[in-house]
Amino acid sequence: MNITICFEKLDPTPWVQGLQQAFPEAAVSAWTPGAPQADHAIVWAPPQQFIDEQPGLQTLFNIGAGVDALLQLKLPSSLKVVRLDDAGMSVQMAEYVCHAVIRHFREFDGYDADTGAGKWSYRKPRSRADFAVGVMGLGVLGERVAKALQVFEFPVNGYSRSAKDLPGIRCFSGAQGLPGFLAASRVLVNLMPLTPETENILNHATLSQLPQGGYLINVARGKHLVEEALITLIDSGHMAGATLDVFRTEPLPADHPFWQHPKITVTPHTSARTLREESIAQIVGKIQALQRGDAINGVVDHQRGY
């Protein structure tokens, strides 16, 4: 069995070594143009040339949580695209979102500003009952985030394309459920997959449906958000602010208004990073399951886009 690794702007060497050690019966190598045919591939942002030169591929494992960029390539209909179930990302995402929610809820940004100015200040505690958090997207990461927020006793809403039933979480689904979900969520956490249907879903019309003082945390994709709409709604006072980890252009341009906006917190797409050892163990397990003829989790529906 031949396994090839094709990464853009990422050194494949540690992955080749780690996968070879974990799966000694396979031949593992980094892809170069004109390389021999492989049975399975592990990729991050591969070029179309890679797909064209590897017509015999059975499975394409994507090391990131989102597959939107991958599905923009011309892929054979027979090629099985597989996303990682977790690979250590869900606990990181839960950490990030809980930190962002609590920082806003407890007004720690305001305390930081005051202490930076040498001011000893006090703010009246807010009520958790007034800070329902809406998790938009209830996949592996979204469900973990929603459960983590419950630990801190925030009311949690969940939104997904198809109906879900999660203990203690008020679930909404489909186009008909979106307005009610937004109206019930003081803090909105976006974890939706990026598809043609969800691109620009965080726009003026939808964000306006958040309650007065709404807050956005975007950890999915930059193309979900209409950036000008967010700034307009914050500056008008309808929204209290945002924490953003993903952007339409990355790295975020130096002259982008998000950098200097006092009510927007920017982080460099670091909410959840793929952990190599966990990823390799999962990929090996999935390949071995396929060899046995077993079904595996994470197979992408090309039509849905996730």
Side-chain angles (χ1 to χ4, degrees):
M1 179 195 305
N2 292 322
I3 301 175
T4 189
I5 298 177
C6 180
F7 295 158
E8 181 183 63
K9 298 179 181 178
L10 182 65
D11 182 10
T13 304
W15 286 78
V16 171
Q17 294 171 344
L19 189 62
Q20 189 67 77
Q21 183 176 7
F23 207 177
E25 58 267 40
V28 185
S29 61
W31 178 79
T32 55
Q37 295 295 299
D39 303 295
H40 306 282
I42 302 169
V43 301
W44 175 248
Q48 183 65 49
Q49 181 184 359
F50 169 75
I51 302 298
D52 295 341
E53 289 188 2
Q54 294 286 325
L57 278 177
Q58 302 168 29
T59 318
L60 204 61
F61 292 94
N62 188 60
I63 66 168
V67 295
D68 44 283
L70 191 57
L71 294 182
Q72 292 177 12
L73 300 175
K74 295 179 181 179
L75 304 175
S77 58
S78 60
L79 180 59
K80 193 187 300 291
V81 177
V82 181
R83 54 179 170 75
L84 300 181
D85 300 327
D86 184 337
M89 288 183 281
S90 67
V91 66
Q92 295 177 70
M93 189 64 79
E95 289 170 345
Y96 183 98
V97 172
C98 287
H99 176 273
V101 170
I102 293 167
R103 179 176 174 81
H104 174 58
F105 172 68
R106 294 288 303 273
E107 299 184 87
F108 287 142
D109 53 346
Y111 284 116
D112 282 349
D114 288 348
T115 55
K119 179 181 178 182
W120 186 274
S121 63
Y122 173 78
R123 286 170 169 76
K124 181 181 178 180
R126 293 167 159 176
S127 169
R128 280 174 174 76
D130 297 332
F131 268 80
V133 182
V135 179
M136 197 173 185
L138 293 174
V140 173
L141 300 183
E143 186 172 337
R144 181 64 178 272
V145 165
K147 290 178 178 178
L149 288 163
Q150 288 181 298
V151 173
F152 296 98
E153 300 183 9
F154 289 102
V156 180
N157 303 318
Y159 175 83
S160 54
R161 175 175 173 170
S162 55
K164 290 200 173 186
D165 184 12
L166 301 175
I169 296 172
R170 185 182 178 192
C171 293
F172 301 77
S173 62
Q176 73 281 359
L178 184 58
F181 165 76
L182 293 169
S185 302
R186 177 78 172 268
V187 179
L188 177 63
V189 180
N190 179 41
L191 275 161
M192 293 283 282
L194 180 62
T195 68
E197 291 73 28
T198 63
E199 185 170 346
N200 297 321
I201 194 170
L202 302 175
N203 54 51
H204 195 281
T206 53
L207 293 175
S208 294
Q209 295 176 59
L210 295 174
Q212 181 74 26
Y215 193 86
L216 173 66
I217 301 170
N218 189 18
V219 286
R221 287 290 184 266
K223 288 185 178 180
H224 283 126
L225 175 64
V226 178
E227 297 176 345
E228 298 80 4
L230 174 64
I231 292 176
T232 297
L233 288 167
I234 293 176
D235 289 348
S236 72
H238 181 73
M239 292 184 65
T243 294
L244 306 176
D245 188 53
V246 290
F247 308 92
R248 288 181 174 269
T249 301
E250 296 182 2
L252 189 65
D255 60 349
H256 198 286
F258 283 167
W259 284 115
Q260 301 301 324
H261 200 290
K263 296 183 178 180
I264 295 177
T265 298
V266 169
T267 56
H269 203 146
T270 192
S271 55
R273 305 292 294 273
T274 302
L275 301 181
R276 187 170 61 250
E277 291 184 2
E278 286 85 344
S279 299
I280 288 173
Q282 186 180 140
I283 291 168
V284 169
K286 287 180 183 292
I287 292 176
Q288 290 173 334
L290 290 171
Q291 288 180 306
R292 296 191 300 267
D294 297 340
I296 61 173
N297 294 327
V299 177
V300 173
D301 183 323
H302 288 233
Q303 296 300 317
R304 284 190 172 189
Y306 58 93

